[in-house]
Amino acid sequence: MGTVTLGVSIAVPEPHGSLLQERRAGFGDPAAHGIPTHVTLLPPTEVDEARLPEIEAHLAAIAEVSEPFEMRLDGTGTFRPLSPVVFVKLVTGAAGCDALQQRIRDAAGPVPRELQFPYHPHVTVAHGIAEEAMDRAFAELSGYRADWTCGSFALYEQGADGVWRKLYDYEFGSGRPIAAVPAQSGSPLDAPAPATAG
C-alpha cells in the first residue's frame, strides 16, 4: 500500500455550497471545481493508506460524542499579504469548529497534524489568483450571508487529478459514517478516484 492525501471538513450545504463554488470559478480560480465549498477541520495530510480504518474509527468516535451547532457566514475577509486568500467569514460556529479540529489533530490520535498558521475557520472563495480578481471576490461577496445547523463533518481524499472526493460524512450523535452524497453541481467530486500506482 502507498500513501493517500486526506482532509476533514464541514461541507457548506446547498444551495450555498454550489453558489459559492460557482462564484469561485467565476473569479478565475482554477481549483474551484476540484474543491467542494467547506470549512477546514484537518488540512491536506498525507498518511499511509493502511491507516485509513484507524482514521475512520477516530473520526466516527469524535462525531459520536459531538452535538450539532449553528453556523453563520457573513461578509468577506482576507489573509493577504501573508497568504493569497479571500474568504467568507464564519461569524457563528467558530468555537465548535475549533473544538472539532483540535480533537481530530490530537497528538494521541492517528493524524497528529501541526498547523502552519493558527486555526481560523473560514470558507475560501479565491486562492492564488490575480490581485484584481481577489479584490473583486472580496467586494462582490462582502454582503454574502448564510445560516445552517452543522450536524456532521466529512472525510475527503485527494485524487491523482487534484480533485477532492468525499469518502464519508460522519453524523453527530451517532458517529455513523454516511456514504458520500452527490457532488455539488459542475464538480466530479464523488466520481470514483482514478487508480494510482503504488
Side-chain angles (χ1 to χ4, degrees):
M1 284 189 171
T3 61
V4 292
T5 300
L6 303 177
V8 180
S9 65
I10 294 169
V12 176
E14 298 302 337
H16 314 295
S18 288
L19 186 151
L20 289 176
Q21 190 179 45
E22 291 303 319
R23 293 304 304 271
R24 183 171 180 173
F27 297 133
D29 191 329
H33 287 307
I35 304 173
T37 308
H38 68 282
V39 176
T40 297
L41 297 176
L42 176 73
T45 302
E46 188 173 336
V47 301
D48 288 335
E49 192 173 2
R51 300 199 72 183
L52 262 174
E54 181 185 0
I55 293 167
E56 291 167 3
H58 173 63
L59 296 176
I62 293 170
E64 185 177 4
V65 296
S66 299
E67 295 183 357
F69 58 92
E70 297 306 309
M71 296 185 71
R72 172 178 292 171
L73 302 177
D74 195 348
T76 48
T78 183
F79 293 134
R80 295 182 292 174
L82 189 63
S83 182
V85 173
V86 171
F87 56 87
V88 176
K89 294 187 290 187
L90 182 68
V91 298
T92 301
C97 293
D98 187 47
L100 287 171
Q101 67 90 22
Q102 287 187 51
R103 296 190 66 201
I104 290 167
R105 295 188 302 104
D106 188 275
V111 279
R113 170 71 192 266
E114 291 295 323
L115 298 181
Q116 184 178 2
F117 301 107
Y119 183 69
H120 185 281
H122 63 279
V123 175
T124 297
V125 290
H127 181 208
I129 57 177
E131 287 294 321
E132 186 177 291
M134 302 269 275
D135 291 342
R136 189 160 65 89
F138 187 90
E140 291 184 11
L141 290 172
S142 62
Y144 188 80
R145 180 172 172 174
D147 297 85
W148 75 95
T149 301
C150 174
S152 67
F153 56 71
L155 174 65
Y156 292 83
E157 180 180 341
Q158 187 177 39
D161 55 2
V163 173
W164 287 91
R165 294 174 175 86
K166 188 186 293 185
L167 300 180
Y168 297 106
D169 272 309
Y170 291 90
E171 183 179 63
F172 293 171
S174 73
R176 184 170 60 98
I178 306 164
V181 296
Q184 292 169 5
S185 61
S187 174
L189 295 174
D190 293 315
T196 56

Short mmCIF file of all heavy atoms in Angstrom, two decimals, residues 124-170:
data_model
loop_
_atom_site.label_atom_id
_atom_site.label_comp_id
_atom_site.label_asym_id
_atom_site.label_seq_id
_atom_site.Cartn_x
_atom_site.Cartn_y
_atom_site.Cartn_z
N THR A 124 -12.98 29.55 1.89
CA THR A 124 -12.19 30.17 0.82
C THR A 124 -13.03 30.37 -0.43
O THR A 124 -13.73 29.45 -0.87
CB THR A 124 -10.97 29.29 0.49
OG1 THR A 124 -10.13 29.22 1.66
CG2 THR A 124 -10.17 29.87 -0.67
N VAL A 125 -12.94 31.58 -1.03
CA VAL A 125 -13.64 31.86 -2.28
C VAL A 125 -12.68 32.31 -3.38
O VAL A 125 -13.10 32.50 -4.53
CB VAL A 125 -14.77 32.90 -2.09
CG1 VAL A 125 -15.92 32.29 -1.29
CG2 VAL A 125 -14.27 34.17 -1.43
N ALA A 126 -11.41 32.50 -3.05
CA ALA A 126 -10.39 32.82 -4.06
C ALA A 126 -9.03 32.52 -3.45
O ALA A 126 -8.78 32.85 -2.28
CB ALA A 126 -10.46 34.29 -4.47
N HIS A 127 -8.17 31.87 -4.24
CA HIS A 127 -6.85 31.49 -3.72
C HIS A 127 -5.83 31.53 -4.85
O HIS A 127 -5.97 30.84 -5.86
CB HIS A 127 -6.91 30.08 -3.12
CG HIS A 127 -5.61 29.62 -2.56
ND1 HIS A 127 -5.25 28.29 -2.48
CD2 HIS A 127 -4.56 30.31 -2.04
CE1 HIS A 127 -4.05 28.18 -1.94
NE2 HIS A 127 -3.61 29.39 -1.66
N GLY A 128 -4.80 32.34 -4.66
CA GLY A 128 -3.67 32.34 -5.58
C GLY A 128 -3.97 32.83 -6.97
O GLY A 128 -3.30 32.43 -7.93
N ILE A 129 -4.96 33.72 -7.11
CA ILE A 129 -5.29 34.26 -8.43
C ILE A 129 -4.84 35.72 -8.49
O ILE A 129 -4.28 36.25 -7.53
CB ILE A 129 -6.79 34.12 -8.75
CG1 ILE A 129 -7.65 34.80 -7.67
CG2 ILE A 129 -7.16 32.64 -8.86
CD1 ILE A 129 -9.15 34.76 -7.96
N ALA A 130 -5.06 36.38 -9.62
CA ALA A 130 -4.62 37.76 -9.80
C ALA A 130 -5.20 38.66 -8.71
O ALA A 130 -6.34 38.48 -8.29
CB ALA A 130 -5.03 38.26 -11.18
N GLU A 131 -4.42 39.65 -8.30
CA GLU A 131 -4.86 40.57 -7.23
C GLU A 131 -6.18 41.24 -7.59
O GLU A 131 -7.05 41.43 -6.72
CB GLU A 131 -3.78 41.62 -6.97
CG GLU A 131 -2.57 41.09 -6.24
CD GLU A 131 -2.89 40.64 -4.81
OE1 GLU A 131 -3.68 41.31 -4.14
OE2 GLU A 131 -2.35 39.60 -4.39
N GLU A 132 -6.34 41.61 -8.84
CA GLU A 132 -7.58 42.27 -9.27
C GLU A 132 -8.78 41.36 -9.06
O GLU A 132 -9.84 41.80 -8.60
CB GLU A 132 -7.45 42.67 -10.74
CG GLU A 132 -8.61 43.49 -11.28
CD GLU A 132 -8.39 43.91 -12.73
OE1 GLU A 132 -7.49 44.75 -12.96
OE2 GLU A 132 -9.09 43.38 -13.60
N ALA A 133 -8.62 40.09 -9.38
CA ALA A 133 -9.70 39.12 -9.19
C ALA A 133 -9.95 38.88 -7.71
O ALA A 133 -11.10 38.70 -7.28
CB ALA A 133 -9.37 37.81 -9.91
N MET A 134 -8.90 38.87 -6.89
CA MET A 134 -9.05 38.72 -5.45
C MET A 134 -9.84 39.91 -4.89
O MET A 134 -10.73 39.75 -4.04
CB MET A 134 -7.68 38.64 -4.79
CG MET A 134 -6.83 37.51 -5.29
SD MET A 134 -7.01 36.00 -4.35
CE MET A 134 -5.85 36.30 -3.06
N ASP A 135 -9.52 41.11 -5.37
CA ASP A 135 -10.23 42.31 -4.93
C ASP A 135 -11.71 42.22 -5.30
O ASP A 135 -12.59 42.61 -4.51
CB ASP A 135 -9.63 43.56 -5.57
CG ASP A 135 -8.23 43.88 -5.04
OD1 ASP A 135 -7.86 43.37 -3.97
OD2 ASP A 135 -7.52 44.65 -5.73
N ARG A 136 -11.98 41.68 -6.48
CA ARG A 136 -13.38 41.55 -6.93
C ARG A 136 -14.13 40.56 -6.05
O ARG A 136 -15.28 40.80 -5.66
CB ARG A 136 -13.41 41.10 -8.40
CG ARG A 136 -14.79 41.14 -9.02
CD ARG A 136 -14.71 41.16 -10.53
NE ARG A 136 -14.14 39.95 -11.08
CZ ARG A 136 -14.85 38.87 -11.42
NH1 ARG A 136 -16.17 38.85 -11.24
NH2 ARG A 136 -14.25 37.82 -11.93
N ALA A 137 -13.49 39.43 -5.71
CA ALA A 137 -14.13 38.44 -4.83
C ALA A 137 -14.43 39.07 -3.47
O ALA A 137 -15.53 38.88 -2.91
CB ALA A 137 -13.22 37.23 -4.66
N PHE A 138 -13.49 39.82 -2.95
CA PHE A 138 -13.66 40.47 -1.64
C PHE A 138 -14.85 41.42 -1.67
O PHE A 138 -15.67 41.43 -0.74
CB PHE A 138 -12.38 41.22 -1.27
CG PHE A 138 -12.38 41.79 0.11
CD1 PHE A 138 -11.90 41.04 1.18
CD2 PHE A 138 -12.84 43.08 0.35
CE1 PHE A 138 -11.90 41.57 2.47
CE2 PHE A 138 -12.84 43.61 1.63
CZ PHE A 138 -12.37 42.85 2.70
N ALA A 139 -14.96 42.21 -2.75
CA ALA A 139 -16.03 43.21 -2.84
C ALA A 139 -17.39 42.58 -3.15
O ALA A 139 -18.40 42.92 -2.51
CB ALA A 139 -15.67 44.24 -3.91
N GLU A 140 -17.42 41.66 -4.11
CA GLU A 140 -18.71 41.14 -4.58
C GLU A 140 -19.40 40.23 -3.57
O GLU A 140 -20.62 40.09 -3.59
CB GLU A 140 -18.53 40.42 -5.91
CG GLU A 140 -18.19 41.38 -7.05
CD GLU A 140 -18.10 40.68 -8.40
OE1 GLU A 140 -18.51 39.50 -8.49
OE2 GLU A 140 -17.60 41.31 -9.35
N LEU A 141 -18.63 39.61 -2.69
CA LEU A 141 -19.24 38.73 -1.69
C LEU A 141 -19.29 39.36 -0.30
O LEU A 141 -19.61 38.69 0.68
CB LEU A 141 -18.48 37.40 -1.64
CG LEU A 141 -18.65 36.52 -2.88
CD1 LEU A 141 -17.71 35.32 -2.82
CD2 LEU A 141 -20.09 36.04 -3.03
N SER A 142 -19.02 40.66 -0.23
CA SER A 142 -18.97 41.34 1.08
C SER A 142 -20.32 41.32 1.78
O SER A 142 -20.38 41.39 3.01
CB SER A 142 -18.48 42.78 0.91
OG SER A 142 -19.37 43.52 0.10
N GLY A 143 -21.40 41.21 1.03
CA GLY A 143 -22.73 41.17 1.64
C GLY A 143 -23.30 39.76 1.75
O GLY A 143 -24.48 39.59 2.11
N TYR A 144 -22.48 38.75 1.45
CA TYR A 144 -22.99 37.38 1.45
C TYR A 144 -23.25 36.90 2.88
O TYR A 144 -22.47 37.15 3.79
CB TYR A 144 -21.99 36.43 0.77
CG TYR A 144 -22.56 35.05 0.58
CD1 TYR A 144 -23.42 34.77 -0.46
CD2 TYR A 144 -22.28 34.03 1.49
CE1 TYR A 144 -23.97 33.52 -0.63
CE2 TYR A 144 -22.84 32.77 1.34
CZ TYR A 144 -23.68 32.53 0.28
OH TYR A 144 -24.25 31.29 0.13
N ARG A 145 -24.37 36.16 3.03
CA ARG A 145 -24.71 35.61 4.34
C ARG A 145 -25.42 34.27 4.16
O ARG A 145 -26.21 34.09 3.24
CB ARG A 145 -25.63 36.58 5.09
CG ARG A 145 -26.03 36.09 6.47
CD ARG A 145 -26.75 37.17 7.24
NE ARG A 145 -27.32 36.65 8.48
CZ ARG A 145 -27.91 37.40 9.40
NH1 ARG A 145 -28.02 38.70 9.22
NH2 ARG A 145 -28.39 36.85 10.49
N ALA A 146 -25.11 33.33 5.03
CA ALA A 146 -25.77 32.01 5.02
C ALA A 146 -25.77 31.46 6.44
O ALA A 146 -24.83 31.67 7.20
CB ALA A 146 -25.04 31.05 4.08
N ASP A 147 -26.87 30.79 6.79
CA ASP A 147 -27.01 30.18 8.11
C ASP A 147 -27.41 28.72 7.95
O ASP A 147 -28.21 28.39 7.08
CB ASP A 147 -28.11 30.87 8.92
CG ASP A 147 -27.82 32.33 9.19
OD1 ASP A 147 -28.13 33.19 8.32
OD2 ASP A 147 -27.30 32.62 10.28
N TRP A 148 -26.86 27.85 8.81
CA TRP A 148 -27.31 26.46 8.84
C TRP A 148 -26.89 25.81 10.16
O TRP A 148 -26.09 26.38 10.91
CB TRP A 148 -26.76 25.67 7.65
CG TRP A 148 -25.30 25.30 7.71
CD1 TRP A 148 -24.76 24.13 8.14
CD2 TRP A 148 -24.18 26.11 7.28
NE1 TRP A 148 -23.38 24.15 8.03
CE2 TRP A 148 -23.00 25.34 7.51
CE3 TRP A 148 -24.07 27.38 6.74
CZ2 TRP A 148 -21.74 25.83 7.20
CZ3 TRP A 148 -22.81 27.87 6.45
CH2 TRP A 148 -21.67 27.09 6.67
N THR A 149 -27.44 24.65 10.41
CA THR A 149 -27.06 23.87 11.58
C THR A 149 -26.09 22.79 11.14
O THR A 149 -26.43 21.98 10.26
CB THR A 149 -28.28 23.23 12.26
OG1 THR A 149 -29.18 24.26 12.66
CG2 THR A 149 -27.87 22.42 13.48
N CYS A 150 -24.90 22.77 11.71
CA CYS A 150 -23.90 21.76 11.37
C CYS A 150 -24.18 20.50 12.17
O CYS A 150 -24.20 20.54 13.40
CB CYS A 150 -22.51 22.28 11.69
SG CYS A 150 -21.21 21.05 11.47
N GLY A 151 -24.41 19.38 11.48
CA GLY A 151 -24.70 18.12 12.14
C GLY A 151 -23.76 16.99 11.75
O GLY A 151 -23.99 15.83 12.10
N SER A 152 -22.68 17.33 11.03
CA SER A 152 -21.73 16.30 10.60
C SER A 152 -20.47 16.96 10.08
O SER A 152 -20.44 18.17 9.82
CB SER A 152 -22.34 15.43 9.50
OG SER A 152 -22.52 16.19 8.30
N PHE A 153 -19.43 16.17 9.92
CA PHE A 153 -18.26 16.60 9.16
C PHE A 153 -17.92 15.47 8.19
O PHE A 153 -18.49 14.37 8.26
CB PHE A 153 -17.06 16.97 10.04
CG PHE A 153 -16.61 15.91 11.01
CD1 PHE A 153 -15.96 14.76 10.58
CD2 PHE A 153 -16.81 16.07 12.37
CE1 PHE A 153 -15.53 13.78 11.47
CE2 PHE A 153 -16.38 15.11 13.28
CZ PHE A 153 -15.74 13.96 12.81
N ALA A 154 -17.01 15.73 7.25
CA ALA A 154 -16.75 14.75 6.19
C ALA A 154 -15.26 14.50 6.01
O ALA A 154 -14.43 15.38 6.24
CB ALA A 154 -17.35 15.24 4.87
N LEU A 155 -14.96 13.28 5.59
CA LEU A 155 -13.60 12.87 5.24
C LEU A 155 -13.48 12.89 3.72
O LEU A 155 -14.33 12.34 3.02
CB LEU A 155 -13.32 11.46 5.76
CG LEU A 155 -11.99 10.81 5.36
CD1 LEU A 155 -10.82 11.58 5.94
CD2 LEU A 155 -11.96 9.35 5.81
N TYR A 156 -12.43 13.54 3.23
CA TYR A 156 -12.18 13.65 1.79
C TYR A 156 -10.82 13.06 1.45
O TYR A 156 -9.90 13.07 2.27
CB TYR A 156 -12.17 15.12 1.35
CG TYR A 156 -13.50 15.81 1.44
CD1 TYR A 156 -13.95 16.34 2.64
CD2 TYR A 156 -14.32 15.95 0.32
CE1 TYR A 156 -15.17 16.99 2.73
CE2 TYR A 156 -15.54 16.60 0.39
CZ TYR A 156 -15.96 17.12 1.61
OH TYR A 156 -17.16 17.76 1.69
N GLU A 157 -10.71 12.57 0.21
CA GLU A 157 -9.43 12.12 -0.32
C GLU A 157 -9.13 12.86 -1.60
O GLU A 157 -10.01 13.03 -2.46
CB GLU A 157 -9.46 10.62 -0.59
CG GLU A 157 -8.15 10.07 -1.15
CD GLU A 157 -8.19 8.57 -1.43
OE1 GLU A 157 -9.07 7.89 -0.88
OE2 GLU A 157 -7.34 8.09 -2.20
N GLN A 158 -7.89 13.30 -1.75
CA GLN A 158 -7.48 13.98 -2.98
C GLN A 158 -6.99 12.96 -3.99
O GLN A 158 -6.09 12.17 -3.70
CB GLN A 158 -6.39 15.00 -2.69
CG GLN A 158 -6.04 15.87 -3.89
CD GLN A 158 -5.00 16.92 -3.56
OE1 GLN A 158 -4.07 16.65 -2.81
NE2 GLN A 158 -5.15 18.11 -4.10
N GLY A 159 -7.58 12.99 -5.17
CA GLY A 159 -7.19 12.07 -6.23
C GLY A 159 -5.91 12.51 -6.92
O GLY A 159 -5.41 13.63 -6.72
N ALA A 160 -5.37 11.64 -7.77
CA ALA A 160 -4.17 11.96 -8.53
C ALA A 160 -4.40 13.15 -9.46
O ALA A 160 -3.46 13.82 -9.87
CB ALA A 160 -3.73 10.74 -9.34
N ASP A 161 -5.66 13.43 -9.78
CA ASP A 161 -6.01 14.55 -10.64
C ASP A 161 -6.17 15.85 -9.85
O ASP A 161 -6.54 16.89 -10.41
CB ASP A 161 -7.30 14.26 -11.41
CG ASP A 161 -8.47 13.89 -10.49
OD1 ASP A 161 -8.28 13.90 -9.24
OD2 ASP A 161 -9.55 13.57 -11.01
N GLY A 162 -5.92 15.82 -8.55
CA GLY A 162 -6.02 17.01 -7.73
C GLY A 162 -7.41 17.28 -7.19
O GLY A 162 -7.60 18.21 -6.41
N VAL A 163 -8.38 16.49 -7.60
CA VAL A 163 -9.77 16.70 -7.18
C VAL A 163 -10.01 16.04 -5.82
O VAL A 163 -9.60 14.89 -5.59
CB VAL A 163 -10.75 16.13 -8.23
CG1 VAL A 163 -12.19 16.18 -7.73
CG2 VAL A 163 -10.62 16.90 -9.54
N TRP A 164 -10.72 16.77 -4.94
CA TRP A 164 -11.08 16.23 -3.63
C TRP A 164 -12.43 15.53 -3.71
O TRP A 164 -13.41 16.12 -4.16
CB TRP A 164 -11.14 17.36 -2.60
CG TRP A 164 -9.79 17.85 -2.22
CD1 TRP A 164 -9.09 18.87 -2.81
CD2 TRP A 164 -8.94 17.33 -1.19
NE1 TRP A 164 -7.87 19.02 -2.20
CE2 TRP A 164 -7.75 18.10 -1.20
CE3 TRP A 164 -9.09 16.31 -0.25
CZ2 TRP A 164 -6.71 17.86 -0.30
CZ3 TRP A 164 -8.06 16.07 0.64
CH2 TRP A 164 -6.89 16.84 0.60
N ARG A 165 -12.47 14.27 -3.26
CA ARG A 165 -13.70 13.48 -3.31
C ARG A 165 -14.09 13.05 -1.90
O ARG A 165 -13.25 12.57 -1.14
CB ARG A 165 -13.51 12.25 -4.20
CG ARG A 165 -13.30 12.62 -5.66
CD ARG A 165 -12.96 11.42 -6.53
NE ARG A 165 -12.88 11.81 -7.93
CZ ARG A 165 -11.77 12.29 -8.51
NH1 ARG A 165 -10.67 12.43 -7.82
NH2 ARG A 165 -11.80 12.62 -9.80
N LYS A 166 -15.36 13.22 -1.60
CA LYS A 166 -15.86 12.87 -0.28
C LYS A 166 -15.94 11.35 -0.14
O LYS A 166 -16.48 10.66 -1.00
CB LYS A 166 -17.23 13.49 -0.06
CG LYS A 166 -17.75 13.32 1.38
CD LYS A 166 -19.18 13.83 1.53
CE LYS A 166 -19.26 15.31 1.36
NZ LYS A 166 -20.63 15.81 1.62
N LEU A 167 -15.38 10.84 0.97
CA LEU A 167 -15.47 9.42 1.27
C LEU A 167 -16.67 9.13 2.16
O LEU A 167 -17.47 8.24 1.87
CB LEU A 167 -14.17 8.94 1.95
CG LEU A 167 -12.88 9.10 1.15
CD1 LEU A 167 -11.70 8.60 1.96
CD2 LEU A 167 -12.97 8.38 -0.18
N TYR A 168 -16.79 9.88 3.27
CA TYR A 168 -17.89 9.67 4.22
C TYR A 168 -18.25 10.97 4.91
O TYR A 168 -17.39 11.82 5.15
CB TYR A 168 -17.49 8.69 5.34
CG TYR A 168 -17.18 7.29 4.88
CD1 TYR A 168 -15.87 6.84 4.84
CD2 TYR A 168 -18.21 6.42 4.49
CE1 TYR A 168 -15.57 5.55 4.42
CE2 TYR A 168 -17.91 5.14 4.06
CZ TYR A 168 -16.60 4.71 4.03
OH TYR A 168 -16.30 3.44 3.61
N ASP A 169 -19.53 11.07 5.27
CA ASP A 169 -19.98 12.05 6.25
C ASP A 169 -20.09 11.32 7.58
O ASP A 169 -20.55 10.17 7.62
CB ASP A 169 -21.38 12.59 5.88
CG ASP A 169 -21.31 13.79 4.97
OD1 ASP A 169 -20.56 14.73 5.29
OD2 ASP A 169 -22.01 13.80 3.95
N TYR A 170 -19.69 11.98 8.66
CA TYR A 170 -19.81 11.40 10.00
C TYR A 170 -20.85 12.19 10.77
O TYR A 170 -20.66 13.38 11.06
CB TYR A 170 -18.46 11.41 10.72
CG TYR A 170 -17.49 10.45 10.07
CD1 TYR A 170 -16.66 10.87 9.04
CD2 TYR A 170 -17.43 9.12 10.46
CE1 TYR A 170 -15.79 9.99 8.42
CE2 TYR A 170 -16.56 8.23 9.85
CZ TYR A 170 -15.75 8.67 8.83
OH TYR A 170 -14.88 7.80 8.21
#
